[in-house]
Amino acid sequence: MLIFFLSVVPLIALALYSFLLFVTWRRGLEKRVNRSFAVYLISMIVWSLGALMMYMAPGRALFWNKVMLSGVSLMPLAFFSFVRAFRGLRAYRWVFQAAVGAWAVLFVFSWFGFMVTDIYLTEDGLIHFVLGPLTPFFALYYLPLLIFSMVLLAQGLRESRDAVERNRIKYVLLGLVIIFVGGFTNLVGELGAFPVDVAANAVNALLIAYAIFRYDLLDINEVVRKGLLYMVPTIIIGVGYFLIILLAVGLFRLVAGYQIAIVSILVAAVAALAMQPLQSRTQLWIDKLFFREKYDAGLMLQRLSRTASSILDLDRLTHLILNEIVETMHITKAVLFLREKESGVFHLAAQRGLPHEIFIEMRADHPVLEWLASHTEILTRHQIDITPRFKALWAQEIEDLDLMETQLFVPLVAQNMLIGLLALGPKMSGANYSPDEKLVLITLANQTAIAVQNAWLYQQALEEKERTEIILEQAFAGMIVVDEDMRIIVVNPAAESITGHHAHELLGEFILQAFPREMWDVGSPLYTAIETGESVGPVEVELAVGEGRRDLLVGVTPILDGYLINFTDITKLKEVARLQSNIVMNVSHELRTPLTSIKGYAELLMTQFADNPVMMRRFLEVIQSEADRMNRIINDLLDLSRLESGRYRPEKTYLDMVALVRESVKGLEMQAQQAGVEIALDLPTDLPPLFGDRELLVSVVNNLVGNAIKFSTKGGRVRVALYQQDGALVLEVEDNGLGIPEEDIPHLFTKFYRSERVHKAGIKGTGLGLALVKQAVELHNGVIQVESRVGVGSRFIVMLPLEMSLAPRATVPETAFS
Amino acid sequence: MTTEVAELLKQGRRQDVWKQYCGHLDLTVPEFMQIQERLLLEQLQEVGRSELGNILMKGETPKTVEEFRNTVPLTTYSDYEPYLTQDKEHMLPRKPHMWAHTSGRTGSYKWVPYTKEMFVIAGERVISSFLLSMASKRGEVRLEVGDVMVYNAPPPPYASGVTLLSLAERFPFQFVPTLEESAELTFHQRLELSFQKALVTGIDVLGSITSVLIKLGERFAQGANSASLSRHMLHPKAITRLARGLIRSRMAGRAMLPKDLWSVKGILCGGTDTSIYKEKVTEYWGVVPHEIYGATELAVVGATQAWDRQGLYFFPDAIFLEFIPEEEWLRGQEDPLYQPKTVLLDEVTTGKRYELVITSLNGGPFLRYRMRDFLRFVSLRNEEENIHLPSMMLAGRTDDLIDLAGFTGAIDEPMIWRAIHNTGIDYEEWVVRKEILDGGPVLHVYLEVKEDISAEEAADRVHESLRNINPFYADMEDMLEVRPLRLTLLSPGTFHAYFLERQAAGADLGHLKPPHMNPNDKIVADLLRLSQSV
C-alpha cells in the first residue's frame, strides 16, 4: 500500500512534465527560452520515470535508479541554461560549458555505479540507497549550479525596472526555493525515502510554466498573499484542534473510539464558525503586516470615497486627492491636470514635488491625451517610449514629461470623456508601481473623475444661478415662479413692483396672494398652461393688482416642477395709445373749428355778401383771424414736437427778464382790455440777467399771462411778478379767475388736455400752451408749479435757475408724436 | 526617449522591441499623418527661428501644413550649398552633432549636418530594418545581443559610415570587421577581410550592396573562390565551417554556396537592383534580401520593406513627406518657373510615379527639398499582412529618366533592368542614354554580354522586351514608324577594365562604375575605347 502511495507522486509528476513538454512543443521551440525549458522538462521526465519505475519494478531498482540519476544530473544544467535564456543572457557561457563537461563525467560514472552502489527495499516498503564515492562530487556540481542560477535570478530581480519582468523572475525564484526545500528533505532522515524532491520539482515546473505562458495574468504578490491567508488559519485551527484533542484525552481520559469522532465534529463545528471572521481578520492582519502599501491604499480609497464626493470646491478637491495619493503611495512628484471645456487644453490643477512657479499645459492634440481618451487605461512612460504613436510628441512635450518624471498617466474619465489625468512620478523607494497599486489608482481615478465632475457641475450651477439671479433682478418684466401646488417660489423685483407686494409677502404663498381671482379662472393664461401643459401667451389681461386695475401682458410657461408666470405692466402703454387717439381727435377738432368758420364765412361772401364791402371786410377779418388761429395751433404743435424730440437748438443769450416780461405783457394788453381784465406788474429793477432762449421764455410769459386773462372773468385781475429766490429767478402769474379743479391739476401739462369744465364754459384753446410752457421751463432746468382753487383763482410759479439755465438735457423725452 | 533594445532583449521583452522599432507598421494612415503633421509644425517653429529658415521661408513661419505647402517654395541642394559648411553652423536650425556626405555620384559631395536626434534616428532605423529583415511574420524578433554583423559600408563621413557609428551606440552588434579596422581599409580590403573573419565568427546579419553579394555568390557557384589563404581560415571554427559547407554542398550535389557556410538571419540591401537580383541573392545566400530606401538627406534610411519583403514603407518621424505627381513634374520640366504641386502620403494613388520631396525633422536643415528620386506606389494597404500604410518601390532618379520624342511615359532605370533581364541574355553590365541620331532621338544601350550573340539579335530582344514592358515605347514605334533603340555590344571585360582604370586614377567609390542612365560623352567614349582594347 505504501509503495502504491509513494509511486503516485512520481507518476503524477511524470504526467505533469509530459503534458508541459507537449504544450511547450506546441508553442514552438524557436525561442531559446522554450528550447531550454523543454530540455529541463525532459530531464524531469527522466527523473520521474526512473523514480516511478524503482517502485514499480523493485527487481531492477538499481537500473532505474541510474536512469533517475541521469535526469537528476541533467536537471541543474538544464535549469541553468533556462535561467540564462530566461534572462536573455549570453554571458557565463564558460560556466555552462564547464557544467556540460561535469555532467558528462557524472553521467558516465553514474552508469558505472559510482553514485549509488546498491539499493534495497526496507520492510516498511521504503527504498534505501547505498551512496557511492562520487556522491560528494555530484553535490559539488549540483548545488553550485542551482545556487548560481538563483544568484542570476536575484540579479535580474534587482536590475529590472519592469514590474512584469520582476513578477516573472519572482515565480522562477519561488520555484527554485521549492526545489531546494524538496532537495533538503533527502537529508532529513526517514523523509529522504519519500519522493518529496520529485513533488517539489513538479511544483517548480508548474510555476515556471505559469511564468512563461501566463505570467502577465497573475501577480505573484497575490499568490503569496492568498497562500498566507489560507496557511495562517490552517495553522491556527490545526494547533487549536491538536490542543483540544490533547486536553480532552489528558483531562478526562474518557475520549476513545467513537468519542474521538464526536470531539472532532465539535472542533470542526467550532472551526467552521470561527473560519469566516478569522479569515477576514487574518486577511486584514496579513495586509497590515506584510502588504502595508496595499493596506494603506485601501484605507486611502475609503477616506476619499467618504470625503471627495462631499467637497464641491474644485481647488480644495484636487489638492486633497493629490495629497492623499502622494502621501499614501510615497510618490516624489505628482500632477493633476484638468480639461478646460472650451479649448480642450489640459491645465495643471494641482501638483506636488514640482517648483511652485511651474507652468505646464497639454494641448488638446497631445498624443498622450489622445491615447488616454481612446484607451481609458493607465499609460506608462515605458509605453510612451516604445509606442510609435508617441513619435508625434514634441521635444518640449517630452521635456515636460521628463520634468514631471512621470511614470504613470492615470486617466480621469467621466461620461466617456477624458476630463483630466493624474501624472505620477517615481516612488520614493524607487520601486515600480505594482499591479495592485495600478488597480487602486484606477479605482481612485474613477472616484476622482466623479468628484471633479460634481464640483464642476456645482460650480456651473452656481454660475448659472448667479446669471439667473441677475436676469431676474434686472428684467423689466415681472417673473413669478410657482410650484405644482401653485405656491410662489421665485419673485423678481419687477414682479414686486407690479404686484405691489414684497417678495417676503409672496414667497411660499398661494398664487392668489400676488394676483386676483381672475388669474386662476377658466381660460386665464395660467389655467390654460396647466390644462394643456404648454406655454401660453403673451396675452393681454386687465387685473386688479397693486393699486387699482392694470393692463398686463401675461405669459405662462410650464417648467420642470411648476410654472413661470411672466408679466409686463402695459397700463401706461395703453394710456399712451388712448392719448394718441385723443390727440388725433383733438387736433382734428381744433383745426376743424377755424376751418369750419373760414369755410362758412367764405360761402357767405360768395353767395350773399359779394356786393357788400362792409360785410365783406368784416367776414374777411374773421377768416384771417381763424386762419391765424390755425397757424398758431400748427406752430404750437411744431414747437412742442421739436422741444419734445430734443431737436430744438436753443439760442442762448443773457436776457433781461424784466424787459422781456414787460414787452410780452404789452402785447397782451389789447386782449386784457377786451376781456376787461387788469394786469398788474410787480417787477423789480435789480434782477440779474438770465442765460436763456428768448423765444422760449417769451412763449412761457405769453402762454401763462394769456391763459390768466382767458380764464379771468370781467373785472378780474392778473398779477405778474418777478423776483430772485434761492439762486433762481421766479416768475409768478396769478389770477382771480375760475380756478382749476384739483383732479385736473395733474393733467394740466398734458398735450391737448382740456377739462370738461373749460370745454363746457366755451373757452377756446388747443390744450398745447401749458405743455409747451412745461417743456420750455424744463429746457432751462427750471420747475413749474400750480396752486389753484376753484372760484378763487390760480397761481403759476416758474423757477428758473440762474446758474444752470439752459444746460443740456439729460435725456430725450418720450413724445406722443414720435 | 527610447529604451535600449539590448536591455529589452535581455529582459525577454521581444514584443516591446518589435513595438518600438517595427511598430510603425501598425499605424493607420491618419495616425501616420498626425505624427508627420505634429513634427512638421514643431520643426517649422525651430527652423523659423534660424537664419537659414528666415532665408528660405522669407521671414514667415507657416502655421499649418497647407500654409507651408502653399508658401514655401520647393528647394534643391543648390539652395543650401552656401550655408551647409561648418563655419556657418550658426545659421542652421540646430547645432549639428556630425556632418555626413553623400557618395558623390555626380562628382561632388553633398554635405549634410546631422543633429544629435537625426544621428540617433539613423541608427534606430537600421535596427528596425535589421529586425524586419530577420522576421518572417509580424512580431518575430530574432535579433540577439552580440549578433555578428558583416558589412561593406565605407567609414564616416560617408552617411552609411555615420549610420554605423550610431548603430554601434544603439546595439552591441559584433561588427565584422570592427569599425576601427574598417576605417583604414579600402572597399576591396574591407570586403575580403569581412568574409574571411566571418568564417570564424559566422554571420547573423549582412548589410551590403546587392551586386557584391551576387558577385560573391557567382564566384562560389563557379567554384572559383580565389580568396587568399589567411590566418582566419586556419582557425578551428573556420575549418569546421568550411567542412560543414563542403558536406552540405556535396549532399545537395552542387558547388559550395555562401548559404552552405553561413546561416544568415537577415540581409539588408539598398538600390534599384535589389528587386532584380532578389532571386539570385536568395539562391546564393539562402535568405531573401531586405530592401531599404535611403539617402544622406533622409537621415539615411527613409523607408524599409516589411517582413513580406514586398513594397517599402516610410518611417513617420525622420522626414516630412511630400510627393510630386509625374504630370506635375513634367509641367515643371517644361516651365522652370512653375512650382509643381505636391500630394501627401494620404493622397497618393497606386501605379503612379512621384518625385519625393522631403522636409527634415528633428532640427535638420531641408525644407521641401527635392530628392530627385522617383517612387511608384504599389499598394495603399497590404490586406494580406494587415498593414494599413501605402507601400512603394524606387523607380530611379528623375535625372535618370529618359523621355523620347515627347512621349511622356519616361523610361527609368528599373525598366531597362527588367527589359534586359527578361531577354534572358547572359550579360555583365550595361549603360543607356538618349542620343540624337539622324535628327531623331534614340535610346542607345551599351551592353556587355557573357554569351555569343550578335548585336542585331540582342537589339531585337531588348526592343521586344521593352515593347512588352512599356506601352509608350511601343506606341512611339507604332506612330512614328521608327525603332527608337540602338544597341552596341561591348567586348567582354570592358566594364571591368573601366573599373580598374577608374580605380587606378584614384576615383572615389561612387565613380568606379559608370552610371546606368545617361552616362556623359566621356564615359561612353571611354567604354568604346576600352571595348576595342580589351
Side-chain angles (χ1 to χ4, degrees):
Chain A
M1 182 57 85
L2 184 60
I3 291 175
F4 171 75
F5 280 115
L6 292 176
S7 59
V8 165
V9 175
L11 180 67
I12 292 170
L14 181 64
L16 191 62
Y17 289 133
S18 304
F19 171 72
L20 286 176
L21 184 64
F22 173 75
V23 174
T24 310
W25 171 71
R26 290 288 296 167
R27 284 180 67 91
L29 297 175
E30 296 88 5
K31 287 184 183 172
R32 192 173 145 213
V33 67
N34 285 10
R35 280 199 304 275
S36 53
F37 186 56
V39 175
Y40 168 74
L41 290 172
I42 289 167
S43 74
M44 294 313 297
I45 285 170
V46 175
W47 182 343
S48 309
L49 181 69
L52 176 67
M53 291 311 291
M54 280 196 307
Y55 293 108
M56 301 303 288
R60 290 179 58 76
L62 194 59
F63 168 79
W64 287 112
N65 177 258
K66 287 172 181 171
V67 172
M68 188 185 83
L69 282 176
S70 304
V72 172
S73 58
L74 180 61
M75 189 280 280
L77 178 64
F79 192 79
F80 176 69
S81 168
F82 164 74
V83 168
R84 281 182 72 225
F86 186 74
R87 284 209 50 213
L89 298 175
R90 283 216 162 195
Y92 309 115
R93 194 179 171 83
W94 65 271
V95 177
F96 177 73
Q97 285 167 344
V100 169
W103 171 75
V105 171
L106 287 169
F107 177 77
V108 173
F109 279 93
S110 69
W111 277 94
F112 285 102
F114 287 93
M115 282 284 288
V116 173
T117 54
D118 194 13
I119 192 163
Y120 59 91
L121 213 62
T122 59
E123 284 177 1
D124 53 5
L126 295 174
I127 291 177
H128 280 264
F129 308 94
V130 178
L131 300 175
L134 207 63
T135 311
F137 295 101
F138 180 78
L140 282 177
Y141 153 81
Y142 191 93
L143 285 175
L145 213 49
L146 283 183
I147 289 169
F148 193 48
S149 303
M150 192 181 265
V151 169
L152 289 181
L153 286 172
Q155 264 180 359
L157 192 65
R158 200 182 65 238
E159 288 169 9
S160 177
R161 307 294 304 157
D162 180 73
V164 175
E165 169 74 3
R166 291 165 65 86
N167 210 20
R168 250 167 38 128
I169 294 175
K170 281 180 191 172
Y171 271 105
V172 183
L173 258 178
L174 185 65
L176 202 55
V177 170
I178 291 169
I179 289 180
F180 269 104
V181 172
F184 277 112
T185 60
N186 289 326
L187 308 173
V188 184
E190 292 296 308
L191 208 54
F194 294 91
V196 180
D197 50 348
V198 178
N201 271 303
V203 174
N204 175 43
L206 274 175
L207 281 172
I208 295 174
Y210 203 88
I212 292 175
F213 304 135
R214 298 283 302 277
Y215 64 87
D216 52 345
L217 298 182
L218 186 64
D219 179 11
I220 186 90
N221 285 338
E222 196 57 23
V223 174
V224 175
R225 185 169 169 258
K226 287 292 172 195
L228 280 174
L229 174 62
Y230 290 107
M231 200 173 78
V232 171
T234 304
I235 292 168
I236 294 170
I237 290 169
V239 169
Y241 186 91
F242 178 75
L243 288 175
I244 288 168
I245 294 288
L246 200 70
L247 202 66
V249 173
L251 284 180
F252 305 109
R253 299 184 183 284
L254 296 171
V255 186
Y258 71 92
Q259 290 167 323
I260 288 178
I262 293 172
V263 174
S264 301
I265 290 167
L266 280 172
V267 171
V270 171
L273 287 171
M275 187 63 196
Q276 190 51 46
L278 185 62
Q279 195 177 357
S280 308
R281 279 176 179 278
T282 309
Q283 183 71 85
L284 203 66
W285 178 78
I286 289 168
D287 284 351
K288 204 170 175 178
L289 206 61
F290 297 113
F291 301 96
R292 187 74 206 190
E293 287 186 354
K294 188 181 178 72
Y295 178 75
D296 288 345
L299 288 183
M300 174 184 70
L301 279 180
Q302 282 174 19
R303 277 198 304 276
L304 283 177
S305 61
R306 274 200 308 272
T307 53
S309 56
S310 62
I311 298 174
L312 296 170
D313 179 80
L314 200 57
D315 194 45
R316 209 180 127 212
L317 177 72
T318 52
H319 281 87
L320 171 81
I321 290 167
L322 209 63
N323 288 344
E324 280 283 4
I325 295 171
V326 165
E327 275 154 30
T328 306
M329 294 191 168
H330 309 291
I331 298 167
T332 54
K333 291 176 180 176
V335 183
L336 176 64
F337 288 94
L338 289 179
R339 181 173 176 272
E340 191 185 80
K341 281 184 183 164
E342 286 75 24
S343 64
V345 171
F346 280 60
H347 290 293
L348 191 152
Q351 61 97 350
R352 282 282 301 267
L354 295 173
H356 286 296
E357 67 280 2
I358 196 153
F359 174 79
I360 300 176
E361 64 175 25
M362 299 169 90
R363 287 164 51 108
D365 67 343
H366 196 294
V368 168
L369 297 180
E370 293 195 340
W371 192 96
L372 290 174
S374 60
H375 289 71
T376 61
E377 59 192 52
I378 287 181
L379 174 69
T380 65
R381 177 59 195 257
H382 175 66
Q383 279 174 288
I384 292 176
D385 288 348
I386 66 166
T387 307
R389 273 180 73 169
F390 296 110
K391 303 270 185 208
L393 280 168
W394 290 351
Q396 181 58 52
E397 291 168 340
I398 294 169
E399 261 179 45
D400 288 344
L401 298 186
D402 291 341
L403 182 70
M404 295 188 287
E405 292 183 51
T406 307
Q407 292 200 348
L408 293 186
F409 289 95
V410 188
L412 306 183
V413 178
Q415 294 171 333
N416 293 325
M417 185 192 273
L418 185 72
I419 61 161
L421 67 94
L422 278 165
L424 303 179
K427 289 161 73 177
M428 287 174 187
S429 62
N432 290 318
Y433 288 89
S434 68
D436 264 346
E437 286 170 328
K438 287 181 186 170
L439 200 64
V440 166
L441 286 168
I442 282 285
T443 313
L444 179 75
N446 291 337
Q447 283 184 5
T448 306
I450 293 166
V452 167
Q453 187 88 336
N454 283 346
W456 267 350
L457 287 174
Y458 177 71
Q459 211 164 0
Q460 200 177 328
L462 277 184
E463 286 167 11
E464 200 66 41
K465 185 170 176 280
E466 196 177 338
R467 200 175 297 128
T468 308
E469 279 174 356
I470 290 170
I471 292 169
L472 284 173
E473 288 280 332
Q474 301 301 321
F476 293 124
M479 290 183 204
I480 287 179
V481 177
V482 291
D483 63 15
E484 284 168 338
D485 297 328
M486 296 298 125
R487 298 276 163 198
I488 297 168
I489 52 177
V490 175
V491 178
N492 76 337
E496 286 180 301
S497 163
I498 295 169
T499 61
H501 292 286
H502 285 295
H504 64 84
E505 294 169 351
L506 297 175
L507 289 171
E509 297 297 325
F510 192 63
I511 182 69
L512 293 185
Q513 180 74 16
F515 296 105
R517 181 78 214 170
E518 299 101 289
M519 191 65 176
W520 191 237
D521 283 348
V522 175
S524 72
L526 181 57
Y527 186 90
T528 310
I530 294 167
E531 281 290 297
T532 61
E534 290 173 4
S535 295
V536 177
V539 178
E540 263 188 52
V541 289
E542 194 184 326
L543 295 172
V545 287
E547 294 172 1
R549 293 191 73 80
R550 288 180 184 231
D551 294 304
L552 298 181
L553 204 58
V554 180
V556 180
T557 306
I559 54 175
L560 195 62
D561 51 359
Y563 298 90
L564 165 68
I565 304 165
N566 200 335
F567 52 98
T568 311
D569 186 353
I570 55 166
T571 311
K572 282 187 179 168
L573 284 176
K574 295 275 279 184
E575 273 178 17
V576 168
R578 276 195 293 272
L579 201 60
Q580 273 183 331
S581 174
N582 285 344
I583 286 167
V584 172
M585 211 165 67
N586 282 339
V587 169
S588 310
H589 175 76
E590 290 303 326
L591 287 175
R592 197 164 58 190
T593 307
L595 199 64
T596 307
S597 295
I598 289 167
K599 192 168 181 271
Y601 281 107
E603 280 176 5
L604 282 174
L605 275 175
M606 283 190 290
T607 54
Q608 297 177 32
F609 301 101
D611 304 327
N612 186 341
V614 177
M615 290 305 285
M616 188 185 288
R617 183 174 176 80
R618 190 183 299 167
F619 287 179
L620 283 172
E621 280 171 1
V622 172
I623 286 169
Q624 188 181 22
S625 162
E626 290 302 309
D628 287 344
R629 189 178 161 199
M630 278 180 76
N631 191 41
R632 275 200 308 278
I633 291 169
I634 290 165
N635 281 342
D636 283 352
L637 275 172
L638 288 174
D639 287 348
L640 194 61
S641 172
R642 274 190 299 147
L643 284 174
E644 282 182 336
S645 70
R647 292 196 303 271
Y648 183 76
R649 296 273 177 272
E651 290 176 12
K652 297 176 287 183
T653 50
Y654 284 95
L655 301 170
D656 177 357
M657 279 302 286
V658 174
L660 185 144
V661 170
R662 276 187 204 285
E663 201 176 313
S664 298
V665 170
K666 197 173 182 181
L668 293 167
E669 277 175 356
M670 182 65 75
Q671 185 188 344
Q673 278 175 12
Q674 284 173 355
V677 174
E678 179 197 350
I679 299 175
L681 296 176
D682 181 5
L683 306 173
T685 54
D686 55 349
L687 289 177
L690 183 80
F691 192 62
D693 185 294
R694 181 182 175 81
E695 198 182 329
L696 286 180
L697 291 172
V698 167
S699 171
V700 168
V701 176
N702 280 347
N703 271 298
L704 290 178
V705 178
N707 279 349
I709 295 168
K710 199 157 53 178
F711 292 100
S712 295
T713 50
K714 196 166 185 176
R717 185 169 183 274
V718 173
R719 188 178 75 87
V720 180
L722 261 180
Y723 58 90
Q724 188 180 353
Q725 187 182 38
D726 299 332
L729 208 60
V730 182
L731 168 69
E732 273 187 23
V733 178
E734 187 180 15
D735 66 65
N736 55 359
L738 295 176
I740 308 162
E742 198 178 338
E743 65 270 20
D744 286 344
I745 288 174
H747 307 291
L748 276 181
F749 299 103
T750 307
K751 291 189 290 282
F752 294 108
Y753 179 79
R754 303 196 75 219
S755 74
E756 283 296 310
R757 202 162 144 263
V758 173
H759 195 68
K760 282 177 184 167
I763 299 168
K764 288 182 179 178
T766 60
L768 292 172
L770 285 178
L772 221 153
V773 167
K774 187 167 185 284
Q775 288 291 332
V777 169
E778 284 178 356
L779 199 67
H780 287 80
N781 295 315
V783 177
I784 183 164
Q785 292 173 350
V786 184
E787 295 167 3
S788 183
R789 282 177 67 189
V790 175
V792 179
S794 307
R795 181 165 63 169
F796 287 80
I797 306 154
V798 174
M799 285 172 280
L800 300 164
L802 286 164
E803 293 293 327
M804 300 293 291
S805 53
L806 274 180
R809 294 177 72 161
T811 54
V812 178
E814 287 183 10
T815 169
F817 299 98
S818 61
Chain B
M1 55 162 237
T2 55
T3 308
E4 288 303 325
V5 64
E7 186 55 35
L8 290 174
L9 286 176
K10 275 184 191 168
Q11 292 176 8
R13 295 158 70 176
R14 290 175 180 268
Q15 287 312 307
D16 285 353
V17 173
W18 180 268
K19 198 172 183 182
Q20 183 171 339
Y21 288 91
C22 307
H24 68 284
L25 294 174
D26 295 329
L27 293 171
T28 60
V29 172
E31 286 169 347
F32 188 99
M33 294 310 296
Q34 194 203 16
I35 295 171
Q36 286 264 291
E37 186 174 334
R38 283 196 110 240
L39 294 186
L40 175 72
L41 295 180
E42 183 190 35
Q43 170 77 4
L44 291 178
Q45 290 301 315
E46 189 169 3
V47 175
R49 290 192 291 267
S50 72
E51 284 185 51
L52 178 63
N54 259 317
I55 293 165
L56 294 170
M57 300 197 293
K58 297 178 175 62
E60 297 287 331
T61 303
K63 301 284 186 298
T64 63
V65 175
E66 276 316 300
E67 191 186 341
F68 168 68
R69 289 165 70 194
N70 290 332
T71 56
V72 178
L74 295 170
T75 58
T76 61
Y77 192 77
S78 60
D79 294 313
Y80 301 87
E81 204 157 17
Y83 316 108
L84 296 186
T85 56
Q86 291 195 7
D87 61 330
K88 289 185 179 162
E89 282 184 354
H90 63 277
M91 296 185 73
L92 300 174
R94 209 181 290 178
K95 187 173 170 51
H97 175 68
M98 287 192 97
W99 284 83
H101 68 59
T102 57
S103 58
R105 199 188 68 117
T106 52
S108 62
Y109 294 126
K110 289 181 189 171
W111 284 93
V112 177
Y114 276 34
T115 62
K116 178 71 183 165
E117 290 71 21
M118 289 167 73
F119 177 72
V120 170
I121 281 177
E124 287 180 348
R125 293 295 157 268
V126 180
I127 294 175
S128 300
S129 305
F130 270 128
L131 281 166
L132 287 164
S133 76
M134 291 185 227
S136 60
K137 59 186 175 191
R138 187 192 291 272
E140 186 183 30
V141 174
R142 294 173 64 208
L143 185 69
E144 297 287 350
V145 172
D147 268 350
V148 176
M149 181 188 165
V150 172
Y151 64 96
N152 47 45
Y158 282 100
S160 41
V162 170
T163 305
L164 282 180
L165 275 187
S166 173
L167 181 63
E169 283 184 15
R170 316 258 90 68
F171 189 74
F173 274 117
Q174 183 185 346
F175 289 95
V176 174
T178 63
L179 299 185
E180 295 75 27
E181 281 175 327
S182 176
E184 306 299 324
L185 302 174
T186 65
F187 180 76
H188 282 285
Q189 286 169 332
R190 191 182 303 121
L191 197 64
E192 191 144 326
L193 181 65
S194 62
F195 285 101
Q196 280 175 3
K197 289 184 84 170
L199 283 174
V200 178
T201 60
I203 303 174
D204 290 307
V205 290
L206 191 52
S208 176
I209 303 164
T210 326
S211 56
V212 171
L213 297 178
I214 292 293
K215 206 70 178 169
L216 275 169
E218 281 175 352
R219 279 162 64 181
F220 270 96
Q222 291 156 9
N225 193 344
S226 60
S228 57
L229 197 67
S230 71
R231 62 184 173 85
H232 299 291
M233 294 177 79
L234 299 174
H235 193 284
K237 280 187 177 175
I239 294 168
T240 314
R241 191 178 299 281
L242 285 165
R244 192 175 58 196
L246 199 65
I247 294 165
R248 281 180 180 169
S249 61
R250 289 290 177 271
M251 285 173 72
R254 51 165 170 71
M256 190 163 64
L257 293 175
K259 67 182 176 186
D260 299 322
L261 290 175
W262 296 290
S263 298
V264 180
K265 291 197 279 188
I267 296 177
L268 219 55
C269 294
T272 50
D273 51 352
T274 305
S275 57
I276 306 282
Y277 284 130
K278 194 171 177 176
E279 286 171 12
K280 283 216 157 186
V281 172
T282 311
E283 184 192 333
Y284 294 152
W285 291 86
V287 179
V288 182
H290 188 90
E291 193 178 341
I292 54 172
Y293 166 62
T296 309
E297 299 95 318
L298 303 177
V300 186
V301 181
T304 180
Q305 288 179 322
W307 52 89
D308 65 347
R309 306 208 225 294
Q310 297 299 316
L312 291 98
Y313 299 89
F314 281 104
F315 288 102
D317 57 335
I319 41 168
F320 182 78
L321 301 158
E322 290 177 78
F323 306 94
I324 301 174
E326 193 172 0
E327 60 272 17
E328 283 289 317
W329 178 81
L330 283 168
R331 205 172 152 189
Q333 291 293 105
E334 288 160 11
D335 176 7
L337 295 176
Y338 179 70
Q339 277 283 307
K341 301 271 187 298
T342 60
V343 295
L344 302 180
L345 191 73
D346 57 352
E347 296 165 324
V348 297
T349 53
T350 51
K352 284 180 78 169
R353 289 192 301 192
Y354 299 89
E355 185 192 342
L356 178 63
V357 174
I358 63 141
T359 296
S360 304
L361 302 175
N362 304 295
F366 299 113
L367 282 174
R368 308 198 78 213
Y369 176 83
R370 296 182 72 158
M371 285 296 297
R372 300 288 183 200
D373 279 332
F374 253 131
L375 314 170
R376 180 184 282 109
F377 283 90
V378 290
S379 77
L380 295 183
R381 55 188 295 153
N382 184 341
E383 296 289 355
E384 205 170 316
E385 300 298 341
N386 201 22
I387 300 171
H388 302 283
L389 296 173
S391 65
M392 59 85 180
M393 290 179 80
L394 194 59
R397 302 273 301 165
T398 56
D399 298 335
D400 297 343
L401 288 171
I402 295 173
D403 188 7
L404 287 176
F407 283 79
T408 53
I411 293 164
D412 59 25
E413 192 174 349
M415 197 180 284
I416 301 288
W417 269 106
R418 214 173 307 129
I420 297 175
H421 185 76
N422 289 352
T423 59
I425 298 170
D426 193 5
Y427 66 92
E428 180 66 38
E429 191 56 283
W430 58 272
V431 295
V432 65
R433 67 173 186 166
K434 186 164 82 171
E435 291 178 358
I436 307 296
L437 282 181
D438 302 322
V442 292
L443 193 67
H444 199 148
V445 179
Y446 297 86
L447 183 67
E448 180 185 326
V449 294
K450 296 181 187 170
E451 63 179 29
D452 190 18
I453 187 171
S454 69
E456 289 73 22
E457 192 191 342
D460 286 347
R461 282 161 71 175
V462 173
H463 174 67
E464 271 314 302
S465 184
L466 261 176
R467 278 184 65 91
N468 292 334
I469 290 170
N470 189 345
F472 295 101
Y473 178 85
D475 288 348
M476 185 169 68
E477 188 193 19
D478 295 343
M479 289 180 73
L480 300 180
E481 295 181 341
V482 290
R483 194 170 86 170
L485 185 86
R486 297 287 182 277
L487 190 141
T488 301
L489 282 182
L490 299 174
S491 308
T494 302
F495 280 94
H496 184 61
Y498 180 88
F499 183 88
L500 293 175
E501 195 174 277
R502 300 292 300 147
Q503 198 176 34
D508 184 78
L509 185 66
H511 298 99
L512 294 177
K513 286 172 67 180
H516 280 129
M517 303 296 285
N518 290 324
N520 59 33
D521 289 347
K522 184 179 181 310
I523 292 171
V524 171
D526 286 347
L527 286 172
L528 291 173
R529 174 176 54 76
L530 290 166
S531 178
Q532 286 173 353
S533 62
V534 290

